[in-house]
Amino acid sequence: MPLFTRRNLLKASAVAGAYGVGVGIAGKFGLAEAAPEPQVLKALKTTASLADSGVTKDIMTWGDAGMPPVLRMTKGKPFAARLTNTLDEPTTIHWHGLRIANKMDGVPFMTQPYVYTGDSFDYAFTPPDAGTFWYHPHCNTLTQMGHGMTGVLLVEDPDDPVFDAEVVLNLRDWRLGGDGQFIAAFRPRDAAKTGTYGTVRTANWYQEPQYDAPAGGLIRLRIAVTDVTRIFSLKMEGAEATVIALDGNPVPKRFPLDLLLIGPGQRLDLAVRMPDSEGAVATLEDIRGTMPKTIAKLCAVGTSLKRNVGDLTALGENPVAKPDLSAAQKIPLILSATAESAPVDSICGTLGYSFWAINKVPWPGDTPDPTAPLAELKLGKSYILQLENVTPHTHPIHLHGMSFTVLSSSTRKVEPLVSDTYLVQPDEKVQLAFVADNPGDWLLHCHIIEHQKTGMTSYVRVV
Ligand SMILES: [Cu+2]
């Protein structure tokens, strides 16, 4: 099991510094800002051992083997990736939560052409925000994501607080039958409700993995819910866990983890204070549903470091523009169920049904044509999305390209979180404010992929 140890990284850089090979020297010669070599992300089909019942065929991923790589980039530094497609269908990559140029957003036809079999596409951008993000295709999404193409992406800030170790968890399910092979991606009757759940639950493609972490140490636990359906209610047993960031952005005030709901597309950064005794195990649990379910375990190793969560410095705020609420224009968005009708076929893969709508318009799939944008926004102006969920189900609504601030909810007290995905609960009305500071066409959709692909998708245009 991998253990990403911040302390080891720091040791390595301290040694480099002692020999004068630090960032300062590289910067002096202009090397630090040079365009980086692209990281090759080869989309491919493979097999994986996910369940005891057999090796699963038709896994889709990037890289040489197994789970998509955890990508690391640095806030404010250029990053480049070359997608090469060896799948037998088109694909793209969307960088969920990154506020980057529209042409890098990875939505076929809206922001870029398909990347066909045998072709490649170069992505290059500079992530403006630090935090925990993720990446996935925006093509034939239920299949490609459902078969494995969901990866975690970390943007580091050199001023991030120092932890004793870091553990990254990519949480997702798989729809496998008793023989370990993929079964139908969804059931229409479930798509019209919560979405269709997977049958095998994993963290980093393992069931209930256990990772070693220093006893008495402070662990940065970075969690991304990359599943197509499941909403988690997370709890930590056996260790103190403090929420330090949500959806890539620091929380206004840290709070203890207590049954926090996290939906598809969302991320959670925890500071976990490991138990002092060697061998003690802390368990991350999902208590949503009828039975608590172990997600992953952390086992204390070594002599206690006797750290205190109060020792952690604050995470830096990301440079997200503050909306001007006095001048902000309101955009009402009603999330509703729709009378079932056959959608227009979409070459990006329709599911063949429509169950959902935004402002009464059900969308066929990922592609915008021929539907007009929900709203045309003026570059630099402030807006308030007034989302109202009139369905009996929860919807994680994701806005591409810009981050919003949560202003208010009709059903609960909310903190002014900065985010890209908000979990709108049944009968909830929520106000999300943002500055339309990124030109282009930006998707706004539910991240329960069956909802996304049966009507609950639209887009805003910023000009
Ligand atoms: Cu939904």
Side-chain angles (χ1 to χ4, degrees), residues 96 194 197 225 227-234 246-247 259-268 286 288 335 387-389 391 393-399 404 406 408-414 417-432 445-449 451 456:
H96 184 121
T194 56
Y197 289 102
V225 176
D227 192 53
V228 294
T229 309
R230 188 176 297 281
I231 297 166
F232 291 77
S233 180
L234 293 173
L246 267 169
D247 301 335
L259 312 181
L260 190 64
L261 282 182
I262 300 286
Q266 293 198 278
R267 293 85 64 204
L268 171 65
D286 176 19
R288 203 160 191 255
L335 308 174
L387 283 166
E388 180 175 3
N389 181 2
T391 82
H393 301 286
T394 303
H395 302 284
I397 298 295
H398 171 47
L399 175 65
F404 51 75
V406 181
S408 70
S409 158
S410 61
T411 56
R412 52 194 153 135
K413 189 174 173 292
V414 289
L417 293 166
V418 176
S419 172
D420 50 70
T421 309
Y422 186 89
L423 200 54
V424 197
Q425 301 198 11
D427 301 319
E428 183 178 7
K429 288 182 208 171
V430 63
Q431 293 196 312
L432 311 174
H445 65 89
C446 181
H447 230 291
I448 292 174
I449 303 299
H451 295 181
M456 205 173 270

Coordinates of all heavy atoms in Angstrom, one line a residue, residues 96 194 197 225 227-234 246-247 259-268 286 288 335 387-389 391 393-399 404 406 408-414 417-432 445-449 451 456:
H96 N -11.7 18.6 -12.8 CA -12.9 19.0 -11.9 C -12.4 20.0 -10.8 O -11.6 19.6 -10.0 CB -13.5 17.8 -11.3 CG -14.7 18.1 -10.5 ND1 -16.0 17.6 -10.7 CD2 -14.9 18.9 -9.4 CE1 -16.8 18.0 -9.8 NE2 -16.2 18.8 -9.0
T194 N -32.3 7.9 -6.8 CA -31.0 8.3 -6.3 C -29.9 8.1 -7.3 O -28.8 8.5 -7.0 CB -30.7 7.5 -5.0 OG1 -30.8 6.1 -5.4 CG2 -31.6 7.8 -3.9
Y197 N -26.6 2.3 -7.5 CA -25.4 2.1 -6.7 C -24.5 1.0 -7.2 O -25.0 0.0 -7.8 CB -25.7 1.8 -5.2 CG -26.3 3.0 -4.5 CD1 -27.6 3.2 -4.3 CD2 -25.4 4.0 -4.1 CE1 -28.1 4.3 -3.7 CE2 -25.9 5.2 -3.5 CZ -27.3 5.3 -3.3 OH -27.7 6.4 -2.7
V225 N -14.5 12.0 -3.6 CA -15.6 11.1 -3.9 C -15.8 11.2 -5.4 O -16.3 12.1 -6.0 CB -16.9 11.5 -3.2 CG1 -18.1 10.6 -3.7 CG2 -16.8 11.4 -1.7
D227 N -17.1 8.6 -7.2 CA -18.1 7.7 -7.6 C -19.2 8.4 -8.5 O -19.4 9.6 -8.3 CB -18.8 7.0 -6.4 CG -19.7 5.8 -6.9 OD1 -19.1 5.0 -7.6 OD2 -20.9 5.8 -6.5
V228 N -19.9 7.6 -9.3 CA -20.9 8.2 -10.2 C -22.2 8.4 -9.5 O -23.1 9.1 -10.0 CB -21.1 7.4 -11.5 CG1 -19.9 7.4 -12.3 CG2 -21.5 6.0 -11.2
T229 N -22.4 7.9 -8.3 CA -23.7 7.9 -7.6 C -23.7 8.2 -6.1 O -24.5 8.9 -5.6 CB -24.4 6.5 -7.8 OG1 -24.4 6.1 -9.2 CG2 -25.8 6.5 -7.3
R230 N -22.8 7.5 -5.4 CA -22.9 7.4 -4.0 C -22.6 8.7 -3.2 O -21.6 9.4 -3.5 CB -22.0 6.3 -3.4 CG -22.2 6.0 -1.9 CD -21.4 4.9 -1.5 NE -21.7 3.6 -2.1 CZ -22.7 2.8 -1.8 NH1 -23.5 3.2 -0.8 NH2 -22.9 1.7 -2.5
I231 N -23.5 9.0 -2.3 CA -23.2 10.1 -1.3 C -22.8 9.5 0.0 O -23.5 8.5 0.5 CB -24.5 11.0 -1.1 CG1 -24.9 11.6 -2.5 CG2 -24.4 12.0 0.0 CD1 -26.3 12.2 -2.5
F232 N -21.8 10.0 0.6 CA -21.2 9.4 1.8 C -21.6 10.3 3.0 O -21.7 11.5 2.9 CB -19.7 9.4 1.8 CG -19.1 8.4 0.8 CD1 -19.1 8.7 -0.6 CD2 -18.6 7.2 1.2 CE1 -18.6 7.8 -1.5 CE2 -18.1 6.3 0.3 CZ -18.1 6.6 -1.0
S233 N -21.7 9.7 4.2 CA -21.8 10.4 5.4 C -20.6 9.9 6.3 O -20.6 8.8 6.8 CB -23.1 10.1 6.1 OG -23.2 10.8 7.3
L234 N -19.6 10.7 6.3 CA -18.3 10.2 6.8 C -18.1 10.5 8.3 O -18.5 11.6 8.8 CB -17.2 10.8 6.0 CG -17.1 10.4 4.6 CD1 -16.0 11.2 3.8 CD2 -16.8 8.9 4.5
L246 N -12.8 21.9 2.1 CA -13.9 21.2 1.4 C -13.8 21.6 0.0 O -13.7 22.8 -0.3 CB -15.3 21.6 2.0 CG -15.9 20.8 3.1 CD1 -17.0 21.5 3.7 CD2 -16.3 19.4 2.6
D247 N -13.9 20.7 -0.9 CA -13.9 21.0 -2.4 C -12.7 21.9 -2.8 O -12.9 22.8 -3.5 CB -15.3 21.7 -2.8 CG -16.4 20.8 -2.5 OD1 -16.2 19.5 -2.4 OD2 -17.6 21.3 -2.2
L259 N -20.3 13.1 10.7 CA -21.3 12.7 9.8 C -21.5 13.7 8.6 O -22.6 14.0 8.3 CB -22.6 12.5 10.5 CG -22.6 11.7 11.8 CD1 -24.0 11.6 12.4 CD2 -22.0 10.3 11.5
L260 N -20.4 14.2 8.1 CA -20.5 15.2 7.0 C -20.9 14.5 5.7 O -20.4 13.4 5.4 CB -19.1 15.8 6.9 CG -19.1 17.0 6.0 CD1 -19.9 18.2 6.5 CD2 -17.6 17.4 5.8
L261 N -21.9 15.1 5.1 CA -22.4 14.5 3.8 C -21.5 15.0 2.7 O -21.2 16.2 2.5 CB -23.8 15.0 3.5 CG -24.9 14.3 4.2 CD1 -26.3 14.9 3.7 CD2 -24.9 12.8 4.0
I262 N -21.0 14.1 1.9 CA -20.1 14.4 0.8 C -20.6 13.6 -0.5 O -20.7 12.4 -0.4 CB -18.6 13.9 1.1 CG1 -18.1 14.6 2.3 CG2 -17.7 14.2 -0.1 CD1 -17.7 16.1 2.1
G263 N -20.9 14.4 -1.5 CA -21.5 13.7 -2.7 C -20.5 13.6 -3.8 O -19.4 14.1 -3.7
P264 N -20.9 12.9 -4.9 CA -20.1 12.7 -6.1 C -19.5 14.1 -6.5 O -20.2 15.0 -6.7 CB -21.0 12.1 -7.1 CG -22.0 11.4 -6.3 CD -22.2 12.2 -5.1
G265 N -18.2 14.1 -6.8 CA -17.5 15.3 -7.2 C -16.9 16.1 -6.1 O -16.0 16.9 -6.3
Q266 N -17.3 15.8 -4.9 CA -16.8 16.6 -3.8 C -15.5 16.1 -3.2 O -15.2 14.9 -3.3 CB -17.9 16.7 -2.7 CG -19.1 17.5 -3.2 CD -19.9 18.0 -2.0 OE1 -20.7 17.2 -1.5 NE2 -19.7 19.2 -1.6
R267 N -14.8 16.9 -2.5 CA -13.5 16.5 -1.8 C -13.5 17.0 -0.4 O -14.2 18.1 -0.1 CB -12.3 17.1 -2.5 CG -12.1 16.5 -3.9 CD -12.9 17.2 -5.0 NE -12.4 18.6 -5.1 CZ -13.2 19.6 -5.6 NH1 -14.4 19.3 -6.0 NH2 -12.7 20.8 -5.7
L268 N -12.8 16.3 0.4 CA -12.7 16.6 1.9 C -11.3 16.5 2.3 O -10.7 15.4 2.1 CB -13.6 15.7 2.6 CG -13.6 15.7 4.1 CD1 -14.1 17.0 4.7 CD2 -14.4 14.5 4.7
D286 N -18.4 5.1 6.6 CA -19.6 5.7 6.0 C -20.8 5.2 6.7 O -21.1 4.0 6.7 CB -19.7 5.3 4.5 CG -20.9 5.9 3.8 OD1 -21.5 6.8 4.3 OD2 -21.3 5.4 2.7
R288 N -23.9 6.3 6.2 CA -25.2 6.5 5.4 C -25.7 5.1 5.1 O -25.0 4.2 4.7 CB -24.9 7.3 4.2 CG -26.2 8.0 3.7 CD -25.8 9.2 2.8 NE -26.9 10.1 2.5 CZ -27.6 10.1 1.3 NH1 -27.2 9.3 0.4 NH2 -28.6 10.9 1.1
L335 N -34.5 22.7 -10.0 CA -34.1 21.3 -10.3 C -35.4 20.5 -10.1 O -35.9 20.5 -9.0 CB -33.0 20.8 -9.3 CG -31.8 21.7 -9.2 CD1 -30.9 21.2 -8.1 CD2 -31.0 21.8 -10.5
L387 N -30.6 28.1 -6.6 CA -31.0 26.8 -6.9 C -32.1 26.3 -6.0 O -32.1 26.5 -4.7 CB -29.8 25.8 -6.6 CG -28.7 25.8 -7.6 CD1 -27.5 25.1 -7.1 CD2 -29.1 25.1 -8.9
E388 N -33.1 25.7 -6.6 CA -34.2 25.2 -5.8 C -34.5 23.7 -6.2 O -34.7 23.5 -7.4 CB -35.5 26.0 -6.0 CG -36.7 25.5 -5.2 CD -37.9 26.4 -5.3 OE1 -37.9 27.4 -6.0 OE2 -38.9 26.0 -4.6
N389 N -34.4 22.9 -5.2 CA -34.5 21.4 -5.5 C -36.0 21.0 -5.2 O -36.3 20.9 -4.0 CB -33.5 20.6 -4.7 CG -33.6 19.1 -4.9 OD1 -34.4 18.7 -5.7 ND2 -32.8 18.4 -4.2
T391 N -37.3 18.2 -6.1 CA -37.3 16.7 -6.2 C -37.1 16.1 -4.8 O -36.6 16.8 -3.9 CB -36.2 16.1 -7.1 OG1 -35.0 16.1 -6.4 CG2 -36.0 17.0 -8.4
H393 N -34.9 14.0 -4.1 CA -33.6 13.4 -4.1 C -32.5 14.5 -4.0 O -32.8 15.7 -4.3 CB -33.4 12.5 -5.3 CG -34.4 11.4 -5.4 ND1 -34.3 10.3 -4.5 CD2 -35.5 11.3 -6.1 CE1 -35.3 9.5 -4.8 NE2 -36.1 10.1 -5.7
T394 N -31.3 14.1 -3.5 CA -30.2 15.0 -3.4 C -29.4 15.1 -4.7 O -29.2 14.1 -5.3 CB -29.4 14.5 -2.2 OG1 -30.2 14.4 -1.1 CG2 -28.2 15.5 -1.9
H395 N -29.0 16.4 -5.0 CA -28.3 16.5 -6.3 C -27.0 17.3 -6.0 O -27.0 18.5 -5.6 CB -29.1 17.3 -7.3 CG -30.4 16.6 -7.6 ND1 -30.4 15.4 -8.4 CD2 -31.7 16.8 -7.2 CE1 -31.7 15.0 -8.5 NE2 -32.5 15.8 -7.8
P396 N -25.8 16.7 -6.3 CA -24.6 17.5 -6.2 C -24.4 18.3 -7.5 O -24.0 17.7 -8.5 CB -23.5 16.4 -6.1 CG -24.1 15.2 -6.6 CD -25.6 15.3 -6.5
I397 N -24.6 19.6 -7.4 CA -24.6 20.4 -8.6 C -23.2 21.0 -8.7 O -22.7 21.7 -7.8 CB -25.7 21.5 -8.5 CG1 -27.1 20.9 -8.4 CG2 -25.6 22.5 -9.7 CD1 -27.5 20.1 -9.7
H398 N -22.6 20.8 -9.9 CA -21.2 21.3 -10.2 C -21.2 22.3 -11.3 O -21.8 22.1 -12.3 CB -20.4 20.0 -10.6 CG -19.1 20.3 -11.1 ND1 -18.2 21.2 -10.5 CD2 -18.4 19.9 -12.2 CE1 -17.1 21.2 -11.1 NE2 -17.1 20.5 -12.2
L399 N -20.5 23.4 -11.0 CA -20.3 24.4 -12.0 C -18.8 24.3 -12.5 O -17.9 24.3 -11.6 CB -20.5 25.8 -11.4 CG -20.2 27.0 -12.2 CD1 -21.1 27.1 -13.5 CD2 -20.3 28.3 -11.4
F404 N -17.8 29.3 -6.6 CA -18.8 30.1 -6.0 C -18.7 30.1 -4.5 O -18.0 29.3 -3.9 CB -20.3 29.6 -6.4 CG -20.5 28.2 -6.1 CD1 -20.7 27.7 -4.8 CD2 -20.5 27.3 -7.2 CE1 -20.9 26.3 -4.6 CE2 -20.7 25.9 -7.0 CZ -20.9 25.4 -5.7
V406 N -21.0 30.0 -1.0 CA -22.3 29.6 -0.5 C -22.8 30.7 0.4 O -22.2 31.1 1.4 CB -22.3 28.3 0.3 CG1 -23.7 27.9 0.8 CG2 -21.7 27.2 -0.5
S408 N -26.5 31.2 1.4 CA -27.5 30.9 2.3 C -28.3 29.6 1.9 O -28.2 29.3 0.7 CB -28.6 32.0 2.4 OG -29.3 32.1 1.2
S409 N -28.9 29.0 2.8 CA -29.8 27.8 2.5 C -31.1 28.0 3.3 O -31.1 28.5 4.4 CB -29.1 26.6 3.0 OG -30.0 25.5 3.1
S410 N -32.2 27.5 2.7 CA -33.5 27.6 3.3 C -33.7 26.6 4.4 O -34.6 26.7 5.2 CB -34.6 27.4 2.3 OG -34.5 26.1 1.7
T411 N -32.8 25.6 4.5 CA -33.0 24.5 5.4 C -31.9 24.3 6.5 O -32.1 23.5 7.4 CB -33.1 23.1 4.6 OG1 -31.9 22.9 3.9 CG2 -34.3 23.1 3.7
R412 N -30.8 25.0 6.3 CA -29.7 24.8 7.3 C -28.8 26.0 7.4 O -28.8 26.8 6.5 CB -28.9 23.5 7.0 CG -28.4 23.5 5.6 CD -27.9 22.1 5.3 NE -28.0 21.9 3.8 CZ -27.1 21.3 3.1 NH1 -25.9 21.0 3.7 NH2 -27.2 21.1 1.8
K413 N -28.1 26.0 8.5 CA -27.1 27.1 8.6 C -25.9 26.7 7.7 O -25.4 25.6 7.7 CB -26.7 27.1 10.1 CG -25.8 28.3 10.5 CD -25.6 28.3 12.0 CE -24.6 29.4 12.4 NZ -23.2 29.1 11.9
V414 N -25.4 27.7 7.0 CA -24.3 27.4 6.1 C -23.1 28.4 6.4 O -23.4 29.5 6.8 CB -24.6 27.4 4.6 CG1 -25.5 26.3 4.2 CG2 -25.3 28.8 4.2
L417 N -18.7 28.9 2.4 CA -17.7 28.0 1.8 C -17.5 28.4 0.3 O -18.4 28.8 -0.3 CB -18.2 26.6 1.8 CG -18.3 25.9 3.1 CD1 -19.2 24.6 3.0 CD2 -17.0 25.5 3.6
V418 N -16.2 28.3 -0.1 CA -16.0 28.5 -1.5 C -15.9 27.1 -2.1 O -15.2 26.2 -1.6 CB -14.6 29.2 -1.7 CG1 -14.3 29.4 -3.2 CG2 -14.7 30.6 -1.1
S419 N -16.6 26.9 -3.2 CA -16.7 25.5 -3.8 C -17.0 25.5 -5.2 O -17.3 26.6 -5.8 CB -17.8 24.8 -3.0 OG -18.1 23.5 -3.5
D420 N -17.0 24.3 -5.8 CA -17.4 24.1 -7.2 C -18.6 23.2 -7.3 O -19.1 22.9 -8.4 CB -16.3 23.6 -8.1 CG -15.6 22.5 -7.4 OD1 -16.2 21.4 -7.3 OD2 -14.5 22.6 -6.9
T421 N -19.0 22.5 -6.2 CA -20.0 21.5 -6.1 C -20.8 21.7 -4.9 O -20.2 21.7 -3.8 CB -19.4 20.1 -6.2 OG1 -18.4 20.0 -7.2 CG2 -20.4 19.0 -6.4
Y422 N -22.1 21.8 -5.0 CA -23.0 22.0 -3.8 C -24.0 20.8 -3.8 O -24.7 20.6 -4.8 CB -23.7 23.3 -3.8 CG -24.4 23.6 -2.5 CD1 -23.8 24.1 -1.4 CD2 -25.7 23.2 -2.4 CE1 -24.5 24.3 -0.2 CE2 -26.4 23.4 -1.2 CZ -25.8 23.9 -0.1 OH -26.5 24.1 1.1
L423 N -24.1 20.2 -2.7 CA -25.1 19.1 -2.5 C -26.4 19.7 -2.1 O -26.7 20.0 -1.0 CB -24.5 18.2 -1.4 CG -25.0 16.7 -1.3 CD1 -24.8 16.0 -2.6 CD2 -24.2 16.1 -0.2
V424 N -27.3 19.8 -3.1 CA -28.6 20.4 -2.9 C -29.6 19.3 -2.4 O -29.9 18.4 -3.1 CB -29.2 21.1 -4.1 CG1 -30.3 22.1 -3.7 CG2 -28.1 21.8 -4.9
Q425 N -30.1 19.5 -1.2 CA -31.0 18.5 -0.6 C -32.4 18.7 -1.0 O -32.8 19.8 -1.4 CB -30.7 18.5 0.9 CG -29.2 18.2 1.1 CD -28.9 17.7 2.5 OE1 -29.8 17.4 3.3 NE2 -27.6 17.6 2.8
P426 N -33.3 17.7 -0.8 CA -34.7 17.8 -1.2 C -35.3 19.0 -0.5 O -35.0 19.3 0.7 CB -35.3 16.5 -0.6 CG -34.2 15.5 -0.6 CD -32.9 16.3 -0.3
D427 N -36.1 19.8 -1.2 CA -36.8 21.0 -0.8 C -35.9 22.1 -0.3 O -36.3 23.0 0.3 CB -37.7 20.6 0.4 CG -38.8 19.6 -0.1 OD1 -39.2 19.7 -1.2 OD2 -39.1 18.6 0.7
E428 N -34.6 22.0 -0.6 CA -33.7 23.1 -0.2 C -33.6 24.1 -1.3 O -33.6 23.8 -2.5 CB -32.3 22.5 0.0 CG -31.3 23.5 0.5 CD -29.9 23.0 0.8 OE1 -29.6 21.8 0.5 OE2 -29.0 23.7 1.3
K429 N -33.5 25.4 -0.8 CA -33.2 26.5 -1.7 C -31.9 27.0 -1.3 O -31.7 27.3 -0.1 CB -34.3 27.6 -1.6 CG -35.6 27.3 -2.2 CD -36.5 28.5 -2.0 CE -38.0 28.0 -1.9 NZ -38.9 29.1 -1.6
V430 N -31.0 27.2 -2.2 CA -29.7 27.7 -1.8 C -29.2 28.8 -2.7 O -29.6 28.9 -3.9 CB -28.7 26.5 -1.8 CG1 -28.5 25.9 -3.2 CG2 -27.3 26.9 -1.2
Q431 N -28.4 29.7 -2.2 CA -27.9 30.8 -3.0 C -26.4 30.7 -3.1 O -25.7 30.6 -2.0 CB -28.2 32.2 -2.3 CG -29.7 32.5 -2.3 CD -30.0 33.9 -2.0 OE1 -29.5 34.5 -1.1 NE2 -30.8 34.5 -2.8
L432 N -25.9 30.7 -4.3 CA -24.5 30.5 -4.6 C -24.0 31.7 -5.4 O -24.5 31.9 -6.5 CB -24.2 29.2 -5.3 CG -24.8 27.9 -4.8 CD1 -24.6 26.8 -5.8 CD2 -24.3 27.6 -3.4
H445 N -24.1 21.1 -13.9 CA -24.8 19.8 -14.0 C -24.7 19.0 -12.7 O -23.9 19.3 -11.8 CB -24.2 18.9 -15.1 CG -22.8 18.4 -14.9 ND1 -22.5 17.3 -14.2 CD2 -21.6 19.0 -15.3 CE1 -21.1 17.2 -14.2 NE2 -20.6 18.2 -14.8
C446 N -25.7 18.1 -12.6 CA -25.7 17.2 -11.4 C -24.5 16.2 -11.6 O -24.3 15.7 -12.7 CB -27.0 16.5 -11.3 SG -27.0 15.4 -9.9
H447 N -23.8 15.9 -10.5 CA -22.7 15.0 -10.6 C -23.1 13.5 -10.3 O -22.2 12.6 -10.2 CB -21.5 15.4 -9.8 CG -20.2 15.4 -10.7 ND1 -19.6 14.2 -11.1 CD2 -19.5 16.4 -11.2 CE1 -18.6 14.5 -11.8 NE2 -18.5 15.8 -11.9
I448 N -24.4 13.3 -10.1 CA -24.8 11.9 -10.1 C -25.0 11.7 -11.6 O -25.8 12.3 -12.3 CB -26.1 11.7 -9.4 CG1 -25.8 11.9 -7.9 CG2 -26.8 10.3 -9.6 CD1 -27.0 11.9 -6.9
I449 N -24.1 10.8 -12.2 CA -23.9 10.8 -13.7 C -25.2 10.4 -14.4 O -25.5 10.9 -15.4 CB -22.7 10.0 -14.1 CG1 -21.4 10.5 -13.4 CG2 -22.5 10.0 -15.6 CD1 -21.1 11.9 -13.7
H451 N -28.1 11.2 -13.5 CA -29.0 12.4 -13.5 C -28.4 13.4 -14.6 O -29.2 14.0 -15.3 CB -29.0 13.1 -12.1 CG -29.6 12.4 -11.0 ND1 -29.7 12.8 -9.7 CD2 -30.2 11.1 -11.0 CE1 -30.3 11.9 -9.0 NE2 -30.6 10.9 -9.8
M456 N -30.3 16.5 -16.2 CA -29.9 17.5 -15.3 C -28.5 18.1 -15.6 O -27.6 18.0 -14.9 CB -30.0 17.0 -13.9 CG -30.1 18.1 -12.9 SD -30.4 17.5 -11.2 CE -32.2 17.3 -11.2

